[in-house]
Amino acid sequence: MSNDQTSIAEGYDDFLHDLKERIRNAQVRAVLAVNRELVLLYWQIGRDILTRQQQQGWGAKVIERLSADLRSSFPEMKGFSPRNLKYMRAFAEAYSEESFVQQPVAQIPWGHNLRLLDLVKEPTERLWYAQQTIQYGWSRNILVHQIESGLYRRQGKATTNFDRTLPQPQSELAQQLLKDPYNFDFLSLGKDALERDLERALIDHIRDFLLELGVGFAFVGSQYHLEVGGQDFYIDLLFYHLRLRCYVVVDLKMSDFQPEFSGKMNFYLSATDDLLRHPDDQPSIGIILCKSKNMAIAEYALRDLNKPIGVSAYQLQSALPEQLKSSLPTIEELEDVLETVSVEATDEE
C-alpha cells in the first residue's frame, strides 16, 4: 500500500466517526423541530376552539364534529380524537400566550404535556417538571413517577451545612440534589426491621433507589470497607456523583436523628477523603438518612462541623395486612392492564 493510501486509511475512521455524529445530531434537531411544530399546531387548534366557544357560543358538541371532519380530511394523522382535541383546548387554556413556544413545554413530547396537564395544576411547578424533563431526558413513565413522588416539593429541602462547607456553585448544586423526605415506597419493611434490613432492601431495589437519589449517582458498594488505625469500619452505602465529582457517603438509620450521628459521619468523610479521594475530586459529601428528624437538633449537630453533611428523613411503604394481600392484583396483572391502557391511549391519540 502506498503512503497516500495509508494516510487516507488512517484518517478515514476519524472522518466517518465525525460524520456519523453530525448526522445523529441533525436527526435529533429534526425530531425536536418537528415536535415543536406539532406542539405549536396543537396549541393553535386549542386556542381557536377556546376563542370560538367563548366569542361565538359554540357548545361542547362541536368537538365531536370537528374530530370527525379532521379525521376524514387527514386519515393518516392520529391526533384528532375528541379526547385529544379537548386536551388541546386545555393546553391553550393553561398557556394563554403564544410566547409559550419559548418555554420548556414546547420542547417536550405531546404525551409528556398531557401527563403534566393531568397531574400538575400549579403553572410554576408544571414548568419546573418540563425543565427537568429536558435536562435529564425523562421518559413519560419517569416523569409520572417523579410527579407522583412529589419531587418538586422535596428537592433541596434537606438540612445541610453545604453553604458553609462547600464552595459555590457546588454547594448550591449539592443542596438541590438532596431531598427531604426521600420516598422509598418501593420497599415494604415491618416495624421491627433493622438498619441492615433497610440496607439489604435498598440494594435489592438499587434501580429504584438510584432513581430516587437522582441523576448522576453511581453505586460504588454497600458495607464498603475502610481500615483506619488498624481497625475495620464499614460505610453503609457509598456512591460517586458524576456531576459533583465527589464521593457520597450514605449512613442509614432506622431511628430518629440523634446528634451523635453527625460525628460518625464526619469520621467517615475524613477517612474517605484520605483513603479514596483522588486529587482532582471535590470534598466527599455525607447524607444521613433517618426515620425522621428534628430540624433544630439537626442544625445544631451540623453547625460547627467542617465536613459537608446533609440530614434527610425517608418515607417507607407500610407493610400490608395479610388479609388484604389476597384481594390486591398481582404485579403481572397490573402490568397487563397498564399495557392495554397504553395501547388504547396511543390508538386514540
Side-chain angles (χ1 to χ4, degrees), residues 210-265:
L210 285 172
L211 178 62
E212 178 61 17
L213 284 177
V215 174
F217 281 90
F219 181 59
V220 177
S222 64
Q223 289 299 306
Y224 193 91
H225 175 251
L226 297 176
E227 183 178 340
V228 179
Q231 296 186 40
D232 296 322
F233 297 89
Y234 298 89
I235 295 173
D236 286 343
L237 297 169
L238 183 64
F239 296 87
Y240 188 86
H241 198 278
L242 302 176
R243 292 182 63 197
L244 291 173
R245 296 293 173 186
C246 69
Y247 284 99
V248 179
V249 176
V250 178
D251 199 19
L252 300 172
K253 300 295 181 185
M254 289 294 289
S255 63
D256 298 341
F257 176 78
Q258 301 296 324
E260 55 266 30
F261 296 167
S262 58
K264 181 181 179 183
M265 177 58 76

Side-chain angles (χ1 to χ4, degrees), residues 29-215:
R29 289 195 299 271
V31 169
L32 291 176
V34 169
N35 180 74
R36 279 194 295 270
E37 289 300 318
L38 180 65
V39 172
L40 177 59
L41 172 64
Y42 285 174
W43 179 86
Q44 291 171 336
I45 292 173
R47 177 199 57 187
D48 292 346
I49 292 173
L50 267 178
T51 299
R52 282 160 175 76
Q53 286 185 328
Q54 292 169 354
Q55 297 180 359
Q56 301 177 23
W58 286 7
K61 289 185 177 180
V62 74
I63 297 287
E64 302 289 338
R65 178 177 176 182
L66 186 61
S67 172
D69 288 340
L70 289 175
R71 282 172 152 176
S72 175
S73 299
F74 304 96
E76 73 283 359
M77 295 185 69
K78 296 182 178 180
F80 296 133
S81 67
R83 175 174 172 269
N84 212 38
L85 288 174
K86 291 175 183 176
Y87 268 123
M88 294 178 202
R89 182 180 60 188
F91 188 62
E93 197 168 21
Y95 306 101
S96 57
E97 300 294 332
E98 190 162 352
S99 60
F100 94 93
V101 295
Q102 304 300 326
Q103 297 180 11
V105 291
Q107 302 174 45
I108 63 176
W110 180 243
H112 286 61
N113 275 304
L114 299 190
R115 301 292 82 78
L116 286 174
L117 287 173
D118 286 339
L119 301 174
V120 183
K121 303 309 177 186
E122 167 59 40
T124 302
E125 183 177 346
R126 195 186 299 130
L127 288 176
W128 184 86
Y129 279 113
Q131 290 168 341
Q132 299 299 302
T133 297
I134 295 168
Q135 182 175 354
Y136 298 120
W138 288 345
S139 68
R140 194 186 311 182
N141 288 338
I142 296 299
L143 171 62
V144 170
H145 169 83
Q146 302 292 27
I147 294 171
E148 291 179 343
S149 70
L151 180 62
Y152 176 77
R153 296 184 297 277
R154 298 184 291 120
Q155 198 85 348
K157 297 296 191 293
T159 302
T160 75
N161 61 2
F162 293 165
D163 59 337
R164 184 174 52 80
T165 58
L166 291 174
Q168 286 286 1
Q170 192 188 28
S171 62
E172 183 177 352
L173 177 58
Q175 182 70 44
Q176 291 305 312
L177 287 173
L178 267 65
K179 307 176 182 68
D180 189 37
Y182 282 85
N183 190 341
F184 298 159
D185 276 354
F186 49 87
L187 302 183
S188 180
L189 296 175
K191 294 180 180 180
D192 298 327
L194 302 174
E195 286 161 17
R196 63 175 177 269
D197 298 322
L198 175 58
E199 178 191 339
R200 190 180 302 116
L202 289 175
I203 295 302
D204 290 341
H205 295 79
I206 192 66
R207 178 182 173 276
D208 297 313
F209 184 36
L210 285 172
L211 178 62
E212 178 61 17
L213 284 177
V215 174

Side-chain angles (χ1 to χ4, degrees), residues 293-306:
K293 75 171 192 291
N294 181 301
M295 187 172 295
I297 294 175
E299 289 176 350
Y300 272 117
L302 301 182
R303 177 180 293 181
D304 296 321
L305 296 179
N306 60 6

